[in-house]
Amino acid sequence: MRFNRNNRYTGILLATAAAIGAPMPAWGQAAADEQEEATREVRRSGGSSSDVTVTGRSLDAVETPLPVQVLAGDELAHRRQGGLGETLAGLPGVHLDNFGGGASRPVIRGQTVPRIEVLSDGANLFDVSSVSPDHAITTDPLLLDAIEIQRGPAAIRYGGNATNGAINLIDSKVPKKVPVGGVTGATEVRYGTGDEEKTVVGRVTAGLGQFAVHAEGARRTAENYAVPDSYGSDRLKDSFAESTSYAVGASWITSKGYIGAAYSRMESDYGLPGHSHLNGVCHTHDLDLHCQSHGGFEDPFGGSDSHTAQIKLRTERADVRADYHDLLPGLAHARLRLSYTDYAHDEIDGDLLFTRFTNKVWDGRVELTHKPLFGFSGTFGVQYTDGTFGGINVNDLHKPFPDGAYGFDGNPNYRTENVGIFLTERRSFGAVDLEGAIRKDWRRIDVTVPSWRSTVGAELEALFAEWYGPDWRQLLESEDVEAFRSRNPTVRHHPFSASLGATWNVGQGYALALSFGHTERAPGVRELYARGNNLATNSYELGLAVGNPILGEAGLSAEDVLESTDAINLTFRANGGPLGFEVGLFYQNVDDYVFARLQEMETETGVPHNFLIYTAADARFAGIDGEISYKLTPQSRVTLFGDYVDAKLKRENDNLPRIPPGRVGARYDLAAGPVSGNLEYYHTFEQDKVASYETRTPGYDMLNAILSYRFDLGGAKSVELYARGSNLLNELAFAHTSFVKDQSPLRGRNFVIGMRHAF
C-alpha cells in the first residue's frame, strides 16, 4: 500500500448553456451520415489514436494499440435493447451484469463500473451506476448513432475509472453538420413478445444556412419478462421497465467546425426482482453482524415483505460541445466539452420512499491537438469536475424525525472536486506507429455534516441543562459533529497514469500492436464511505474511510489506498481482405485492488445477509478476447468469437467475486440486396472458481437470429422491416457477473418485430 501526501487544488467553475424545447418523435438510418462526417472530422484533426475514434466498423478503425469495436448502423439497430449492458452483451470481452429489465451494466475483461468509464461523445457520463448494481446507466441505446468499446486501459484520457476500458456513446443531439436537403430524420416502432415491449422512437434534424437544430425522443414500456418454466414461474416478478427520453439541440456550423448546445432528459421506472427489506434491521456490534431488533436498532420498514420494490429515476443534462480544426496556427484541432448533470432517483418499497440518490455534477474538458512537430502529433487536455452526491447508507427516508430525540436530521452529501491534465503524443517510424500518454489527477472528497436538531421535551431539556450547562445544545451538537467528521474524513488522492504503445503495420492489412500501461485509480464514494445496509445486494458494507478495522490494524488510512495496475496488452489485427480478425491478449498486475471481503454471513431473517468490509489486496488478471471472420462470398461472412478471463487474489485464501466465465461462439452474416440477417450461437461455460460467498454458476447455450428486409424509396428514404429472436433455445441462464444472479435470470425466448423509416 502507498502513502499519498495531501494537497488542495482548486478548479475554476465552468458554465454551460442549453437549448430547451419539447420532445418530438425520431430515430434511424440518418445517423449514418452524421457519423461518417464525425469520422472524417477526427481524421482531419490529426487526433491521437488513443481517442476512441468514431468509425463505421471496428476493423476499419484508425490503428490503436488496444482493441476497439464499434456498433453502428444496422448492426447497432438490430442489437439495441432497453439497457446498455443487454445491448453489448455477447460482444468479445463484454459480459452482462443484470438486475431485471431496468438496470444492466456492461462488464469488460472481468470488470464493470467503476473500472470502466461510460462516455457521452467523449465526455464522462455522470450517474450513480457505479454505486450499486440496481442503478441504471443513464443512456437510451435507442437514440444512439454508434457505440464504441475500447477493451483495455483508457485511463490516460478519461481518468482512473477507465482502468479496464471505455464505452463511448455517440449521439446527434448536438448536430455536427447541416443536413443535405435541409431535413433528415427517422422513426421506429417495435414490439417484443417476451415482455410485451412497446417502443416508439424518432428524430429529426433541420438546417437553415449555417445553423442546424435537432430533436429526438423515445418511449418504451415493458412488462415482467418471460423466463423458462424451469425457474419456477414463466415470468420474472418485478422485472418490468419503462422509460421516456428526449433531447433538443442546436449548432452553428462553419467550414472549420461547429459549436452547439443540447438539453436532454430521461425518466425511468423499473422493478427490482427478488428485493427484500427483511435485512433492513441488520446492524453491527464491532465486527459481529446482528439481524434482530433490539434497543435503538429496529426494522425501518416493518410489516410484510411482499411489496414491489422499484426505482423511479430522473436525469437532466445540459451539454456544450465544440470541435474546430485549424483554428489557430500550429493547432490542428480544438475540442470543448462542457456539461451539467442533475440526477436523482427514488427507491420505493410498496408505498414507502426509503432512500433517494442524487448527483449534481459540473464538468468541463478542453483538448488541443497540435500539428506535427518534429514528426510528433499529440493532444494536451485539461479536465475539471465538481460533483455533489448523496444517498448511500440511507434506508429510512420515510421515517420522520421522532419526538423526544436529538441528533442529525438529514443525510450527508459527498462533494468531489477533481482536476486532471493529460498529454498524448504519437509518431510514425516507417511501418511502426509509436504512441505515449500521461495523465495526472488531483481529487478531494469532502463530506458535509447534516443539520442537527432537538425535539426533547421540557423535562429532558432541564435535565440536560443541569448536566451540561445552559449551552447543552451546542455542546451535544459539537460532540456529534466531531464524531461524524472522524467517521467521515476528507479523503485526497493524486493518481497518475502513463502508457506506451506501438503498432507495427506489417502490410496487406495486417498489424501487431503492443502496449504497456500503468494506471492508478482512487476508490469511489461507496468504497470509501459505505456504512450500512445495501438491500439491493443483501449486504452490510463498511468502507475504507469509516473506521475500517482491517486498515486500522495495519496502521493505514483510506488515503493510503490507491489501486495501481500495470498492464500489458498484445493485439493482432487483419483487415482489407477476405480474412479479418482482431484478437487481444492482456495481463494485469494490480496492487491494492479494492474489493469487498466477506467478514460474516448472517441468516437470522431467513434471507442471507453478507457483512462485507472493503479492503485492498494484490490481484492479477489475464485473458484473451476477440473475433476472427472470413468472407465466404461478397454477401456472406462467418465469424468466430470468444473471451476468457482468469483472475486471482494474491496471498489471499479466496477468489475475486463475479468474474465472468469463458465463452466461445460463431455467427453467420448475410447481406444480399434488400435482405440481411445473421444467425448467432455461443456457449458460456460454467464458473466454478468462486468467492467465499458465491455459488457456482452453470454454463448455458445462447442462440439468436435476425432477419430484415429494406425497401429503398429513393434518395435517403427507406423503410426496413425486421425480426429478431433471442434465446431461441429458451435456456434458463444465469449471469455469474450479477450481484443477484439467482433472483434475476436472463431473459427467456423473445421475439422482437419492428419497422424503421428513414427520410
Side-chain angles (χ1 to χ4, degrees):
M1 297 186 181
R2 294 170 180 75
F3 178 77
N4 303 296
R5 297 189 179 274
N6 298 340
N7 272 318
R8 175 89 184 234
Y9 286 79
T10 303
I12 300 173
L13 291 177
L14 301 169
T16 186
I20 301 177
M24 291 184 64
W27 196 115
Q29 201 67 19
D33 292 338
E34 294 182 15
Q35 186 192 345
E36 289 173 5
E37 173 63 20
T39 304
R40 290 191 291 270
E41 194 169 306
V42 170
R43 288 173 175 169
R44 284 196 304 264
S45 73
S48 165
S49 68
S50 64
D51 280 320
V52 186
T53 55
V54 182
T55 62
R57 300 182 62 85
S58 64
L59 296 181
D60 296 332
V62 177
E63 300 297 348
T64 76
L66 295 170
V68 177
Q69 185 163 11
V70 179
L71 289 180
D74 290 342
E75 187 178 10
L76 172 60
H78 294 156
R79 293 189 68 99
R80 289 176 304 163
Q81 298 195 54
L84 184 63
E86 286 188 288
T87 298
L88 301 182
L91 296 176
V94 185
H95 287 249
L96 167 69
D97 169 14
N98 74 309
F99 208 113
S104 63
R105 308 185 301 183
V107 178
I108 299 179
R109 291 184 167 178
Q111 300 293 301
T112 185
V113 290
R115 292 181 178 90
I116 64 174
E117 190 67 72
V118 182
L119 309 164
S120 176
D121 198 22
N124 299 66
L125 182 71
F126 296 101
D127 52 30
V128 297
S129 59
S130 64
V131 177
S132 184
D134 59 323
H135 299 170
I137 294 175
T138 54
T139 186
D140 193 335
L142 299 166
L143 293 173
L144 297 177
D145 300 342
I147 304 176
E148 305 159 342
I149 307 101
Q150 177 174 311
R151 307 191 301 275
I156 309 307
R157 208 162 189 87
Y158 302 111
N161 285 354
T163 297
N164 254 51
I167 298 173
N168 196 13
L169 310 173
I170 304 300
D171 57 55
S172 297
K173 60 187 180 184
V174 177
K176 297 178 174 67
K177 61 175 289 187
V178 177
V180 177
V183 178
T184 61
T187 60
E188 179 177 356
V189 293
R190 67 183 199 175
Y191 174 79
T193 62
D195 55 3
E196 299 181 44
E197 175 197 359
K198 302 176 186 68
T199 297
V200 58
V201 195
R203 62 197 265 155
V204 62
T205 304
L208 180 63
Q210 291 183 295
F211 293 90
V213 295
H214 179 86
E216 62 186 26
R219 171 67 177 164
R220 177 180 181 269
T221 63
E223 302 298 328
N224 294 334
Y225 64 69
V227 293
D229 292 338
S230 55
Y231 182 64
S233 63
D234 61 354
R235 297 273 172 176
L236 180 62
K237 185 177 182 295
D238 297 334
S239 62
F240 64 88
E242 64 177 66
S243 64
T244 301
S245 303
Y246 65 83
V248 292
S251 296
W252 176 46
I253 300 161
T254 72
S255 60
K256 288 183 175 291
Y258 72 94
I259 183 170
Y263 166 82
S264 55
R265 181 182 176 98
M266 177 179 180
E267 296 177 355
S268 182
D269 186 354
Y270 58 91
L272 304 177
H275 176 87
S276 171
H277 67 230
L278 290 178
N279 289 321
V281 70
C282 294
H283 56 277
T284 58
H285 299 284
D286 294 325
L287 291 181
D288 178 48
L289 183 67
H290 192 204
C291 292
Q292 290 183 351
S293 297
H294 68 86
F297 300 105
E298 60 181 18
D299 182 356
F301 297 92
S304 171
D305 195 29
S306 61
H307 300 299
T308 290
Q310 63 193 96
I311 285 179
K312 292 189 175 181
L313 179 156
R314 172 205 54 81
T315 184
E316 297 177 275
R317 180 174 170 121
D319 286 275
V320 173
R321 300 174 182 172
D323 282 278
Y324 281 91
H325 55 274
D326 297 327
L327 188 62
L328 295 171
L331 194 62
H333 190 76
R335 167 171 289 188
L336 175 69
R337 294 292 185 267
L338 305 177
S339 69
Y340 172 70
T341 302
D342 183 358
Y343 172 99
H345 83 240
D346 293 340
E347 300 194 0
I348 301 169
D349 192 312
D351 58 356
L352 300 178
L353 168 61
F354 65 91
T355 191
R356 172 176 291 146
F357 282 83
T358 60
N359 201 28
K360 297 183 178 182
V361 185
W362 295 89
D363 180 70
R365 58 188 294 138
V366 177
E367 300 178 12
L368 303 175
T369 300
H370 65 78
K371 292 184 176 180
L373 182 65
F374 303 112
F376 288 90
S377 61
T379 299
F380 171 78
V382 60
Q383 180 178 6
Y384 173 76
T385 306
D386 186 342
T388 302
F389 164 82
I392 62 171
N393 307 328
V394 179
N395 287 312
D396 59 355
L397 200 61
H398 57 286
K399 301 187 69 174
F401 193 87
D403 292 330
Y406 63 91
F408 294 124
D409 182 16
N411 303 302
N413 286 321
Y414 303 82
R415 187 193 173 195
T416 300
E417 188 176 24
N418 191 93
V419 177
I421 58 173
F422 55 90
L423 175 67
T424 67
E425 291 291 340
R426 175 185 175 92
R427 181 176 176 178
S428 296
F429 296 88
V432 177
D433 298 326
L434 190 65
E435 178 184 315
I438 56 173
R439 175 167 175 137
K440 178 67 176 179
D441 285 88
W442 295 266
R443 194 196 73 176
R444 173 184 175 125
I445 301 180
D446 292 294
V447 187
T448 61
V449 180
S451 60
W452 195 90
R453 182 181 177 188
S454 171
T455 58
V456 300
E459 291 185 8
L460 196 53
E461 283 188 356
L463 188 60
F464 281 168
E466 180 181 342
W467 288 348
Y468 300 108
D471 296 329
W472 63 269
R473 281 188 179 86
Q474 292 86 342
L475 179 62
L476 293 179
E477 180 178 358
S478 65
E479 289 179 352
D480 285 348
V481 169
E482 182 180 353
F484 177 89
R485 286 177 172 160
S486 68
R487 292 195 307 268
N488 299 275
T490 294
V491 176
R492 304 170 183 85
H493 285 100
H494 308 149
F496 172 80
S497 300
S499 69
L500 180 65
T503 301
W504 178 28
N505 301 291
V506 181
Q508 298 182 337
Y510 291 88
L512 174 66
L514 177 66
S515 71
F516 301 89
H518 173 81
T519 300
E520 294 178 351
R521 184 186 77 88
V525 171
R526 175 160 229 117
E527 294 166 318
L528 289 169
Y529 296 106
R531 192 186 185 94
N533 291 308
N534 184 350
L535 298 181
T537 59
N538 285 315
S539 61
Y540 186 99
E541 301 174 5
L542 189 66
L544 295 164
V546 291
N548 189 298
I550 297 177
L551 293 187
E553 289 179 4
L556 300 169
S557 72
E559 291 185 337
D560 300 324
V561 179
L562 188 63
E563 193 173 284
S564 176
T565 302
D566 294 316
I568 301 175
N569 293 270
L570 184 62
T571 305
F572 302 89
R573 293 193 184 95
N575 182 31
L579 176 67
F581 57 80
E582 183 167 88
V583 178
L585 294 138
F586 63 93
Y587 179 87
Q588 299 174 348
N589 186 72
V590 190
D591 293 335
D592 288 356
Y593 182 86
V594 177
F595 74 106
R597 176 185 289 165
L598 179 67
Q599 175 70 21
E600 177 188 356
M601 179 183 290
E602 184 57 72
T603 60
E604 289 176 88
T605 66
V607 177
H609 206 58
N610 296 316
F611 182 16
L612 304 176
I613 301 179
Y614 284 97
T615 186
D618 295 339
R620 69 113 176 99
F621 294 80
I624 182 172
D625 49 42
E627 61 182 19
I628 303 172
S629 65
Y630 188 79
K631 184 177 290 188
L632 301 173
T633 69
Q635 294 80 30
S636 63
R637 179 182 291 271
V638 63
T639 302
L640 303 178
F641 59 90
D643 51 65
Y644 175 75
V645 177
D646 179 59
K648 182 179 181 180
L649 274 173
K650 300 180 180 179
R651 296 179 289 278
E652 297 279 335
N653 188 27
D654 201 359
N655 293 313
L656 284 169
R658 296 175 299 280
I659 299 300
R663 178 177 56 189
V664 294
R667 181 175 61 253
Y668 175 76
D669 292 281
L670 174 68
V675 178
S676 64
N678 67 54
L679 181 66
E680 177 185 77
Y681 162 82
Y682 61 84
H683 176 75
T684 299
F685 293 94
E686 176 189 40
Q687 180 58 284
D688 56 5
K689 189 176 179 182
V690 298
S692 54
Y693 57 93
E694 293 183 309
T695 58
R696 58 171 289 276
T697 303
Y700 59 89
D701 298 301
M702 193 62 64
L703 182 65
N704 307 312
I706 297 169
L707 182 64
S708 70
Y709 190 93
R710 176 168 294 162
F711 299 89
D712 188 353
L713 304 181
K717 300 177 181 179
S718 66
V719 171
E720 181 192 51
L721 303 177
Y722 66 87
R724 181 181 72 226
S726 56
N727 196 1
L728 295 175
L729 302 176
N730 203 31
E731 285 246 356
L732 179 59
F734 300 92
H736 186 77
T737 48
S738 173
F739 281 81
V740 291
K741 64 169 186 176
D742 294 325
Q743 67 199 52
S744 184
L746 301 180
R747 297 175 185 268
R749 184 183 294 117
N750 184 39
F751 294 96
V752 174
I753 57 174
M755 179 181 72
R756 295 193 294 153
H757 172 220
F759 60 89

